[in-house]
Amino acid sequence: MSKRNRPGNCKGDRGRIKRYTLARRQRGRCLYCAAPFAHPLDGVLHHYVPYALWPTNQRPALVLTCGRCPGSTSTALPWPLVWLLLAHAARG
């Protein structure tokens, strides 16, 4: 299946809705540096879990970044997520 027709496509109206929803969830700030967005559409959609590990474009797998943060191009998981995953694994 091509990227264009993949479920959860992030372009057009769907992408705008996702950006507005994510901006509201993140209180209008970049996930990595907390820089405020002038407008929700200024944010760059980013998979905070690498797409190879969680292949989806649904909102739970996406965050908004400013596009300038080094973390926004990283394939590593954010440390808070690593800690949560380790804590969850230790319980179970």
Side-chain angles (χ1 to χ4, degrees):
M1 183 179 291
S2 73
K3 287 183 183 181
R4 171 173 260 161
N5 297 323
R6 184 170 40 202
N9 189 347
C10 297
K11 297 187 186 258
D13 289 337
R14 287 183 181 175
R16 278 191 287 282
I17 292 169
K18 284 182 186 181
R19 281 182 177 82
Y20 279 112
T21 304
L22 293 171
R24 188 172 54 239
R25 181 175 80 185
Q26 294 174 214
R27 293 181 168 76
R29 297 185 174 272
C30 172
L31 178 75
Y32 296 106
C33 69
F37 298 119
H39 193 274
L41 296 179
D42 293 341
V44 177
L45 288 172
H46 173 69
H47 291 91
Y48 72 94
V49 176
Y51 189 83
L53 298 176
W54 193 7
T56 182
N57 283 331
Q58 300 300 319
R59 283 184 212 124
L62 297 171
V63 293
L64 275 181
T65 65
C66 63
R68 294 181 305 269
C69 290
S72 65
T73 58
S74 173
T75 58
L77 296 176
W79 279 110
L81 182 61
V82 172
W83 295 327
L84 288 172
L85 292 172
L86 290 173
H88 181 70
R91 278 193 279 153

